[in-house]
């Protein structure tokens, strides 16, 4: 369910690292919790992010949720398709529903994040609560 | 937490459950948008067994109901349903409700789940010397809502009565699988549809639920949760108690004058409402549309010329209209259709405009 080569945050974002670049999105759990996503407010390309800084807001019919950056870095690309089709996040959260790409500043920050196994265990804990 | 008799089967189907008014209820099954559109375009089914049913019987049942509600129950024939309000002396609703005239000495009040005990206590408190019996039967009734243009066709498959003969806001006492039920052509979605009341146990309730779903397969019937119920009622501009109306909003302010019948004689709240009508209301509930992709939500502050004048009551994305809409109280001078104002949504002021309601009206 949760891709092995991704890193995960406790706030349910994922990051897929590709050299200097990191692709960021929200997890399948997060999209399910939010329900039908109807709008996403995206940041501008070129903005520099700190670790855990808010990078945008996702609106579903019922809820609003902030997205936090899993790493520090500079935004180099955003998923333009989400402007007209925010439901891509519901349909394919770990693929076509990616949100943005950052140029990672410090790869050691990735140590703060969870592996897919750790994330799945983390989710089990949430569900039990 | 209270559970309806359909709790087990609904949970087993994978619905997302939430706590609502002390009940464990499904908020969504396949997704709010999908469920909403199913009701607008085809058919959906809701478990609304959490709603309250209060029976009023006795030789003075009508006189008593006339005294505690704002609408004119004397206009009801046997088999007719009326939208009305239990009203406080200040003209504000204790609750909004449906009044079913079962016979000359028996009425059933269908009230909001969150208000069932409050309503029941209020009714008892005002019983005085009326020759009536008040019974809160909420725990024994199941209630299903089958809503949407295909609802008659689907429900007809399990009901002997000819449903086409039940007109809008009428009901019939009938049977489903030899057991008594009440079927009314009512609902809170803005669509044609039915509400079915029956008193039987878990097994029977599950059987009815499953059969309706099975019979509706050809029209891709969707089980629907509270999420879609809220977006559907909002598009149809139906008030939600606790959001749009409560004990601080008078019926006149809520634009519910059509359920106030001053000429019927005395009722609780009449004097306050008459006085307010003569003096004129200062604020009114209106519909608005947000001129932005951001969704206005309840309690978001509302501004005109940088002065806060109100806040949002109901606000949501409207799945059928694909707009962001809502309801709020505005000072009367700002209530003209087309009036612009601003809503502070998180840290940004976005433009909104007063629009004609209902936002959505079904074609007859």
């Amino acid at each position: 369910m949760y891709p092995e080569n991704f890193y995960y945050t406790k706030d349910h974002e994922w990051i897929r690292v590709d050299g200097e670049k990191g692709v960021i999105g929200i997890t399948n759990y997060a999209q399910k919790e939010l329900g039908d996503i109807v709008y996403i407010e995206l940041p501008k390309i070129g903005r520099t992010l700190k670790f855990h800084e808010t990078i945008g807001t996702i609106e579903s019919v019922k809820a609003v949720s902030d997205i936090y950056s899993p790493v520090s870095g500079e935004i180099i690309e955003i998923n333009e398709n989400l402007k007209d089709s925010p439901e891509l996040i519901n349909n394919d959260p770990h693929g076509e529903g990616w949100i943005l790409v950052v140029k990672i500043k410090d790869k050691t920050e990735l140590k703060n994040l969870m592996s897919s196994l750790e994330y799945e265990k983390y989710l089990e804990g949430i569900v039990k609560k | 937490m209270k559970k309806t008799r359909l709790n087990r089967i609904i949970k087993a189907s994978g619905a997302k459950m939430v706590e609502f008014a002390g009940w464990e209820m499904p908020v969504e099954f396949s997704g709010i948008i999908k469920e909403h559109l199913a009701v607008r375009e085809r058919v959906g089914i809701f478990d609304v067994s959490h709603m309250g049913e209060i029976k009023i019987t006795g030789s003075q049942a009508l006189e008593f109901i006339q005294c505690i509600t704002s609408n004119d129950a004397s206009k009801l024939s046997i088999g007719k349903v009326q939208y009305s309000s239990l009203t406080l002396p200040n003209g504000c609703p204790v609750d909004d409700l449906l009044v079913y005239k079962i016979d000359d000495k028996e009425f059933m009040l269908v009230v909001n789940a969150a208000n069932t005990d409050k309503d029941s206590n209020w009714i008892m408190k005002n019983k005085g010397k009326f020759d009536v019996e008040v019974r809160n039967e909420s725990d024994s009734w199941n209630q299903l809502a089958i809503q949407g243009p295909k609802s008659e066709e689907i429900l007809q498959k399990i009901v002997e009565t000819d449903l086409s003969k039940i007109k809008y806001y009428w009901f019939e006492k009938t049977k489903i699988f030899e057991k008594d039920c009440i079927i009314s052509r009512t609902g809170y979605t803005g669509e044609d549809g039915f509400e079915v009341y029956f008193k039987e146990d878990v097994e029977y309730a599950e059987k009815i639920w499953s059969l309706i779903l099975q019979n509706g397969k050809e029209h891709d019937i969707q089980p629907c949760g509270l999420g879609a119920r809220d977006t559907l009622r909002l598009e149809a501009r139906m008030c939600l108690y606790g959001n749009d109306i409560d004990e601080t909003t008078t019926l006149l302010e809520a634009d519910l004058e059509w359920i106030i019948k001053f000429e019927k004689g005395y009722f609780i709240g009449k004097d306050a409402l008459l006085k307010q009508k003569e003096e004129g209301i200062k604020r009114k509930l209106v519909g608005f549309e947000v001129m932005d992709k951001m969704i206005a939500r309840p309690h978001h502050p509302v501004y005109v010329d940088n002065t806060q004048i109100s806040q949002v009551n109901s606000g949501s994305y409207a799945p059928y209209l694909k707009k962001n809409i809502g309801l709020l109280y505005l000072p009367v001078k700002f209530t003209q259709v087309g009036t612009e104002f601003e809503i502070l949504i998180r840290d940004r002021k976005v433009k909104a405009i007063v629009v004609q309601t209902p936002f959505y009206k079904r074609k007859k």
Side-chain angles (χ1 to χ4, degrees):
Chain A
M1 168 61 89
Y2 292 93
E4 281 173 20
N5 55 338
F6 288 24
Y7 295 90
Y8 299 88
T9 72
K10 287 185 174 175
D11 299 308
H12 310 288
E13 293 92 8
W14 55 257
I15 178 165
R16 174 168 55 84
V17 181
D18 180 11
E20 294 296 298
K21 293 195 290 189
V23 183
I24 295 168
I26 66 166
T27 67
N28 185 53
Y29 173 84
Q31 69 81 17
K32 265 195 183 164
E33 281 298 296
L34 278 164
D36 293 326
I37 293 166
V38 290
Y39 175 60
I40 176 164
E41 208 177 352
L42 293 164
K44 290 206 166 66
I45 291 172
R47 204 181 112 189
T48 311
L49 298 168
K50 290 191 190 112
F51 169 67
H52 203 255
E53 193 176 338
T54 309
I55 46 176
T57 312
I58 293 182
E59 295 237 24
S60 69
V61 179
K62 275 280 122 199
V64 183
S65 186
D66 284 331
I67 322 158
Y68 302 98
S69 182
V71 291
S72 304
E74 184 196 335
I75 299 169
I76 52 173
E77 197 181 343
I78 57 169
N79 187 353
E80 295 287 344
N81 292 335
L82 296 180
K83 286 183 179 166
D84 291 327
S85 308
E87 69 278 8
L88 283 173
I89 298 174
N90 290 121
N91 300 341
D92 190 8
H94 302 142
E96 291 295 307
W98 65 275
I99 293 168
L100 52 82
V101 182
V102 291
K103 192 176 164 195
I104 301 171
K105 191 182 168 193
D106 178 6
K107 278 196 172 179
T108 63
E109 282 179 350
L110 296 169
K111 287 180 192 155
N112 301 324
L113 308 177
M114 289 179 272
S115 68
S116 63
L117 269 179
E118 286 166 331
Y119 182 64
E120 279 168 25
K121 271 199 183 141
Y122 174 68
L123 288 183
E124 277 173 27
I126 293 174
V127 173
K128 270 182 196 154
K129 269 183 211 163
Chain B
M1 234 186 321
K2 286 182 162 183
K3 290 172 181 175
T4 75
R5 290 179 188 83
L6 290 164
N7 182 273
R8 189 175 65 188
I9 198 171
I10 283 173
K11 259 171 127 169
S13 75
K16 197 189 282 182
M17 308 298 285
V18 292
E19 197 258 321
F20 175 78
W23 293 78
E24 187 182 41
M25 297 297 291
V27 64
E28 59 178 291
F29 290 78
S30 56
I32 293 173
I33 294 177
K34 189 174 176 188
E35 294 163 29
H36 183 111
L37 296 179
V39 171
R40 287 271 177 267
E41 290 161 0
R42 303 182 313 278
V43 60
I45 178 172
F46 303 77
D47 174 22
V48 281
S49 303
H50 61 313
M51 301 283 286
E53 291 85 7
I54 299 169
K55 276 273 180 72
I56 295 181
T57 51
S59 66
Q60 289 185 301
L62 175 64
E63 289 90 327
F64 181 50
I65 286 167
Q66 288 291 66
C67 169
I68 57 173
T69 64
S70 64
N71 209 333
D72 187 356
S74 74
K75 294 270 159 61
L76 289 171
S77 310
I78 292 169
K80 185 88 180 81
V81 188
Q82 183 180 70
Y83 181 65
S84 188
S85 164
L86 275 179
T87 315
L88 289 166
N90 65 4
C92 301
V94 178
D95 201 2
D96 60 337
L97 75 166
L98 291 180
V99 180
Y100 285 65
K101 182 168 180 175
I102 292 172
D103 69 41
D104 288 335
K105 291 173 186 171
E106 184 179 7
F107 293 80
M108 180 168 80
L109 310 183
V110 180
V111 303
N112 283 296
N115 295 340
T116 305
D117 290 340
K118 181 182 80 164
D119 295 350
S120 180
N121 292 338
W122 173 255
I123 293 167
M124 284 306 292
K125 192 180 154 194
N126 287 285
K127 197 167 95 69
K129 287 178 181 161
F130 283 99
D131 177 30
V132 290
E133 191 192 343
V134 179
R135 283 195 316 272
N136 181 356
E137 296 186 350
S138 303
D139 287 343
S140 55
W141 287 95
N142 306 289
Q143 188 187 344
L144 301 181
I146 299 102
Q147 299 280 297
K150 299 288 180 192
S151 53
E152 183 183 306
E153 184 184 328
I154 307 294
L155 189 61
Q156 188 65 73
K157 291 179 186 172
I158 57 166
V159 184
E160 284 171 29
T161 309
D162 180 0
L163 292 176
S164 70
K165 287 190 179 146
I166 304 179
K167 300 270 177 278
Y168 190 55
Y169 266 69
W170 286 80
F171 72 92
E172 241 181 60
K173 281 166 100 171
T174 177
K175 286 184 192 293
I176 298 181
F177 301 119
E178 289 158 14
K179 293 189 175 180
D180 292 334
C181 69
I182 293 171
I183 297 180
S184 57
R185 197 165 205 131
T186 51
Y188 220 58
T189 61
E191 292 306 320
D192 183 21
F194 298 87
E195 292 180 300
V196 182
Y197 303 79
F198 54 94
K199 269 189 167 176
E200 294 299 331
D201 56 12
V202 171
E203 202 186 331
Y204 183 77
E206 288 183 351
K207 182 178 163 184
I208 302 286
W209 174 265
S210 303
L211 262 172
I212 292 172
L213 282 176
Q214 202 180 317
N215 290 339
K217 255 187 187 163
E218 59 175 313
H219 294 301
D220 195 19
I221 190 172
Q222 294 296 318
C224 303
L226 296 177
R229 194 167 167 80
D230 190 42
T231 53
L232 286 158
R233 71 90 197 163
L234 181 59
E235 270 186 355
R237 199 235 180 261
M238 291 167 168
C239 288
L240 177 62
Y241 197 93
N243 274 45
D244 310 312
I245 49 173
D246 61 25
E247 295 188 359
T248 68
T249 58
T250 78
L251 295 177
L252 288 166
E253 291 169 342
D255 211 8
L256 289 173
E257 190 169 353
W258 66 279
I259 60 166
I260 309 171
K261 298 292 151 62
F262 290 112
E263 68 285 358
K264 75 167 179 170
Y266 172 79
F267 63 93
I268 297 170
K270 180 180 177 179
D271 296 345
L273 288 166
L274 256 183
K275 184 163 179 272
Q276 191 178 42
K277 190 172 161 61
E278 281 161 18
E279 289 173 356
I281 50 172
K282 293 186 175 65
R283 58 172 191 163
K284 197 171 88 173
L285 189 66
V286 294
F288 67 86
E289 195 180 314
V290 184
M291 303 283 104
D292 194 287
K293 285 192 167 180
M294 296 171 91
I295 300 171
R297 313 232 179 221
H299 308 300
H300 280 162
V302 168
Y303 293 82
V304 168
D305 297 333
N306 290 318
T307 307
Q308 192 189 337
I309 54 162
S310 187
Q311 60 171 347
V312 172
N313 288 80
S314 286
S316 176
Y317 173 72
Y320 187 79
L321 302 170
K322 297 188 172 61
K323 289 173 177 175
N324 293 322
I325 60 168
L327 295 170
L328 87 169
Y329 286 90
L330 283 178
V332 166
K333 64 174 174 177
F334 297 120
T335 56
Q336 288 281 351
V337 168
T339 306
E340 288 181 6
F341 57 94
E342 287 180 313
I343 304 175
L344 184 64
I345 302 180
R346 291 184 296 282
D347 53 357
R348 211 163 90 204
K349 278 185 183 164
V350 302
K351 201 162 90 176
I353 184 168
V354 177
V355 297
Q356 199 84 51
T357 54
F359 305 97
Y360 163 85
K361 197 166 189 200
R362 83 180 139 102
K363 293 180 191 82
K364 300 261 167 156

